[in-house]
Amino acid sequence: MAKRWICTSALLFFLWLILSGRFEAKFIISGAVCSMVVAFICLPIMKVRRGERSYFVMLVNPLRLFLYLLWLIKEIFFSAIDVCRAILSNKHISPQLVRFRCGFENPSATVMLINSIILTPGTVTVDVSDDDEFLVHALTDGAAEGLLQGEMMRKIAWLYGEDRKGVKC
């Protein structure tokens, strides 16, 4: 628990330094103290229980997160081009609702999938049921096929260290 508090405090302090741009001693000390207090208050909230297990929200490999974010930025770029092409040609737009089931063990992985779908142009997560059934609106056939192929789900399972057996996509 102390290691998580230290890591969270350090991350918050680093963000504070970047965003504030103030490097005088009084600001650095107040930023460090505030970061530690906020981390102490938020740490119990960041622990999620699912069934018998509990998960820490920010527990993810930083290198894997970086690689996933690079992949996601690439997907966002190509999806934006696909949506622009569909809108300008007015031939490839075929809005549809896609249902699929993907049961991650870690609830943070489910949240990451929801947010990744929302960030990708041409797709919007409409609903996620309690049994992890997703309902997603896809603007084009390519977006719907991309969701059903499950590449994003496999990448998120890899990001959170869930083996393929634990992910039912």
Side-chain angles (χ1 to χ4, degrees), residues 80-135:
I81 290 174
D82 185 46
V83 169
C84 287
R85 186 179 303 133
I87 290 171
L88 293 175
S89 70
N90 203 17
K91 296 177 185 174
H92 302 291
I93 296 177
S94 56
Q96 53 194 292
L97 291 173
V98 179
R99 286 186 189 276
F100 60 91
R101 191 175 307 274
C102 189
F104 291 115
E105 292 176 14
N106 190 336
S108 298
T110 303
V111 172
M112 181 67 82
L113 179 60
I114 292 167
N115 289 330
S116 297
I117 290 170
I118 290 172
L119 284 172
T120 307
T123 57
V124 176
T125 306
V126 178
D127 187 34
V128 180
S129 66
D130 289 336
D131 60 342
D132 290 327
E133 182 179 52
F134 284 70
L135 179 62

Side-chain angles (χ1 to χ4, degrees), residues 1-12 34-49 54-59 108:
M1 191 70 158
K3 181 180 174 184
R4 290 183 182 159
W5 176 74
I6 290 169
C7 290
T8 305
S9 297
L11 176 66
L12 290 173
C34 288
S35 298
M36 289 187 281
V37 169
V38 168
F40 180 76
I41 292 170
C42 291
L43 215 54
I45 299 169
M46 296 167 65
K47 190 175 182 183
V48 178
R49 291 198 59 78
S54 63
Y55 299 92
F56 185 65
V57 171
M58 292 177 51
L59 192 60
S108 298

